[in-house]
Amino acid sequence: MSVEVRLPTVLRVHAGGNSSVSLDVENLRELFEKLTELYPAMAGQVVTDEGSFHRFVNVYVNDDDVRYLEKLDTKVRDGDVVTILPAVAGG
Amino acid sequence: MAYFSSILELIGNTPLLDVSSLSPNSQVRILAKLEGQNPGGSVKDRIALAMIEDAEKTGRLSSGDTILEPSSGNTGIGLAMISKAKGYTLKIVMPENVSTERRACLESWGAEIIQSPGSEGSNGAVRHAQKLAEERPEYVFLYQYANPANPRAHFEGTGPEIFRDCPEVTHFVAGLGTSGTLIGVGSFLKSKNPQVEIWAIEPPSGEMVDGLRSLDDGYIPPIFVENNGEDLLDRRTIVSPRESIEWVRKLASVGVFAGISSGAVMAGAAKCARAIDQGVIVVVFADGGWKYLSTGAWSDDIDQVVDRAKSMIYF
């Protein structure tokens, strides 16, 4: 039972240089709690102290932005891939 | 004899092409709006014209002025074509790692290119242009990311054209860059039928070129925030460079020579088609394939093309 979390370059420095981490969790709230337990420097990076997502970060479960799903309550299952990406411009 | 008197009259009214033969669900039709048919070769001709005409109307822009804009390509090219036709000088801030054809197009239309570091990506080009605009207040800074004429061009043009040609549309799928297309077309279609779903497709920037030292360097276009983009969109999904290239090749296999972001959008439309029972999806193909020939997207080994996408701005 595990979920793969893919980290963007800008966050790897807070996660011991890892580009991905495997966690055994059931939803995103739990996922970010465990990630912070594992790497304390991740605190406040993706989820703010107020409990919402950082303004310039987008989180996807299997390619879908979770702001349009159940946000932090989005459930994850064994084999799911969670991707964290910074907000960038195009055009 | 029927003829047009200005190249600018050829902007808009692009055709809708049925590409349902590529739909993974036989109950779902997919229609593509071919924005590459615009005279400057992309959907951005629409906003370039709208922003320039708006600045002329409000008196911000007049004959002999210099226009400044950050662009990874298409907006710059549209502005260059229109600036030539109307007699303005144009300066474009562009990351150095875009396809060579984009730079060549801009030069052909006489624009001056100011290069920003490739490692800073599009965000870097925006920052450099903002700084330059402050230093040189005489430049007319159109700023597509915050200019209301951008979404308005789609609310008044692209959206009504889609609804006129396909009132049965159930889903609208387009790429998310400045968010102008999604905001403008999305608001228009929802005003006609609130049931229409709006899907944003995000091609991730190459990991070498996301341009960030920390998350606080992130960027959300002001027009997305001001128009409550988060409430308007029903779904937002990422498409990998590999899927984008695969779909650009599938499109070529049915005779459609589309740009790489169109491959990403088509991959998103296929995802949408699989997720619904039936419907009519309208997608926007922002440009044709011409400006991406040098990337080898159609000819080279796909692993090589995908690898190059890590350090190039393809979208």
Side-chain angles (χ1 to χ4, degrees):
Chain A
M1 280 289 286
S2 80
V3 173
E4 184 191 349
V5 187
R6 293 187 184 157
L7 301 170
T9 319
V10 69
L11 288 182
R12 291 177 196 167
V13 60
H14 305 299
N18 289 309
S19 58
S20 78
V21 181
S22 285
L23 295 172
D24 183 6
V25 290
E26 285 179 359
N27 62 50
L28 287 183
R29 195 179 307 278
E30 203 188 328
L31 183 145
F32 286 108
E33 280 167 11
K34 281 215 173 170
L35 194 62
T36 307
E37 268 173 42
L38 212 55
Y39 303 110
M42 288 287 295
Q45 288 289 333
V46 179
V47 180
T48 63
D49 297 339
E50 291 78 43
S52 57
F53 288 115
H54 185 293
R55 184 157 182 257
F56 294 131
V57 81
N58 297 318
V59 179
Y60 306 82
V61 172
N62 300 332
D63 299 342
D64 276 316
D65 188 326
V66 302
R67 281 199 179 93
Y68 303 90
L69 303 175
E70 305 297 319
K71 300 187 170 72
L72 277 171
D73 295 320
T74 305
K75 288 189 171 49
V76 286
R77 287 182 299 190
D78 190 30
D80 279 353
V81 175
V82 174
T83 307
I84 302 170
L85 288 175
V88 296
Chain B
M1 196 165 120
Y3 59 87
F4 295 92
S5 47
S6 161
I7 192 77
L8 307 184
E9 291 170 19
L10 300 177
I11 296 175
N13 268 312
T14 51
L16 206 52
L17 176 72
D18 193 328
V19 290
S20 302
S21 63
L22 295 174
S23 175
N25 180 342
S26 62
Q27 299 305 302
V28 177
R29 286 177 71 194
I30 303 178
L31 302 170
K33 192 151 175 71
L34 303 183
E35 290 296 309
Q37 302 295 103
N38 281 300
S42 89
V43 64
K44 297 301 190 126
D45 285 3
R46 295 175 182 269
I47 72 159
L49 183 64
M51 292 192 301
I52 284 180
E53 287 187 341
D54 182 69
E56 287 171 339
K57 240 177 255 160
T58 57
R60 273 181 78 205
L61 180 66
S62 48
S63 175
D65 280 348
T66 295
I67 296 169
L68 171 72
E69 184 67 16
S71 170
S72 55
N74 281 331
T75 302
I77 292 166
L79 288 172
M81 175 182 72
I82 299 162
S83 294
K84 262 295 173 242
K86 285 176 169 277
Y88 300 117
T89 302
L90 177 67
K91 293 176 189 287
I92 295 294
V93 183
M94 194 165 75
E96 59 195 349
N97 48 346
V98 299
S99 70
T100 53
E101 291 94 332
R102 295 190 187 188
R103 190 168 299 114
C105 279
L106 280 174
E107 282 165 353
S108 305
W109 269 303
E112 183 197 326
I113 300 168
I114 301 166
Q115 295 215 39
S116 61
S119 60
E120 294 182 17
S122 297
N123 288 10
V126 173
R127 275 197 304 269
H128 281 253
Q130 282 173 322
K131 195 162 155 267
L132 195 57
E134 271 173 36
E135 288 164 8
R136 302 293 298 267
E138 72 274 23
Y139 291 167
V140 180
F141 187 42
L142 295 173
Y143 197 25
Q144 55 175 330
Y145 300 95
N147 194 322
N150 170 358
R152 200 187 311 132
H154 296 295
F155 188 86
E156 293 176 356
T158 326
E161 288 170 28
I162 289 170
F163 196 72
R164 174 196 69 202
D165 294 341
C166 181
E168 58 274 40
V169 56
T170 60
H171 293 72
F172 176 69
V173 179
L176 183 64
T178 66
S179 76
T181 309
L182 282 157
I183 298 283
V185 175
S187 311
F188 181 82
L189 293 180
K190 288 217 181 196
S191 77
K192 291 291 174 186
N193 174 8
Q195 303 305 314
V196 174
E197 280 201 21
I198 312 298
W199 285 40
I201 306 304
E202 227 179 334
S205 66
E207 56 181 311
M208 315 289 281
V209 293
D210 64 21
L212 304 184
R213 280 153 300 171
S214 85
L215 280 178
D216 294 323
D217 284 343
Y219 185 80
I220 300 171
I223 53 174
F224 185 77
V225 179
E226 281 155 22
N227 292 284
N228 299 316
E230 205 171 308
D231 295 334
L232 181 76
L233 300 186
D234 293 284
R235 198 141 163 184
R236 181 166 167 172
T237 185
I238 39 172
V239 169
S240 71
R242 179 172 295 273
E243 287 174 285
S244 310
I245 305 294
E246 282 168 357
W247 275 98
V248 120
R249 291 181 178 189
K250 281 184 203 172
L251 285 167
S253 77
V254 296
V256 181
F257 186 50
I260 298 176
S261 73
S262 305
V265 165
M266 197 57 198
K271 202 181 278 188
C272 178
R274 277 186 224 104
I276 61 179
D277 293 332
Q278 55 181 339
V280 180
I281 303 172
V282 171
V283 299
V284 170
F285 287 176
D287 60 7
W290 309 102
K291 291 190 300 288
Y292 309 94
L293 282 169
S294 69
T295 67
W298 295 266
S299 52
D300 292 358
D301 178 70
I302 192 158
D303 291 329
Q304 280 176 11
V305 182
V306 170
D307 197 52
R308 271 180 235 141
K310 284 181 188 158
S311 52
M312 285 275 296
I313 296 172
Y314 277 4
F315 303 101

